[in-house]
Amino acid sequence: LTIGEDLKRDPEIARATLSVADAAVRLTDGRTLFIDLRESGERARDGIIPRSVHVPYRSLDDALKRDGLLAAMLADGERDALFYCAHGERSALALKAAREHGFERVAHLGGGLAAWREAGGVTETD
């Protein structure tokens, strides 16, 4: 099995995987923090989902720690977090990491930015 197949079979990840349509609704509701896990070069090449925060996957653990960027942004408990990456593997792993750090209101975009763009989702340049 590839890592992607393992992740798709994980029930915790399956429950927290959002479709592009569901993610698009969350983008407009203002209560969901979109977190882009891709590298800067990917963002420059492929664009970003509007209003998303850039936290490269390699920096995620620090951002989730008590004094980290994401911990601070989500501390009030008023916002959900939605991770996305290029195709959904890094965001699924990020979901698990966030849960391990005690965050419950987290999800990830199934298929990542590739699925978002294929479905006609709006992107902008970084």
Side-chain angles (χ1 to χ4, degrees), residues 13-119:
I13 292 172
R15 282 190 302 275
T17 300
L18 293 185
S19 68
V20 170
D22 289 338
V25 169
R26 289 194 180 206
L27 184 63
T28 62
D29 75 12
R31 294 181 313 114
T32 301
L33 179 65
F34 279 63
I35 303 159
D36 185 351
L37 300 165
R38 297 171 305 137
E39 297 297 323
S40 295
E42 293 174 281
R43 291 167 52 92
R45 181 187 67 224
D46 301 325
I48 65 170
I49 295 175
R51 297 182 303 279
S52 60
V53 174
H54 185 212
V55 179
Y57 182 76
R58 69 184 186 295
S59 305
L60 181 65
D61 193 55
D62 285 339
L64 291 170
K65 289 180 181 172
R66 187 176 312 199
D67 60 348
L69 173 69
L70 291 180
M73 293 181 90
L74 299 170
D76 63 8
E78 298 292 318
R79 299 176 92 180
D80 296 331
L82 177 66
F83 295 107
Y84 76 93
C85 61
H87 297 283
E89 288 187 7
R90 285 174 285 185
S91 58
L93 293 170
L95 168 72
K96 290 186 76 75
R99 293 267 169 90
E100 289 170 6
H101 280 273
F103 295 94
E104 296 298 322
R105 294 176 58 176
V106 293
H108 93 106
L109 177 59
L113 188 68
W116 179 267
R117 290 174 61 126
E118 186 176 309

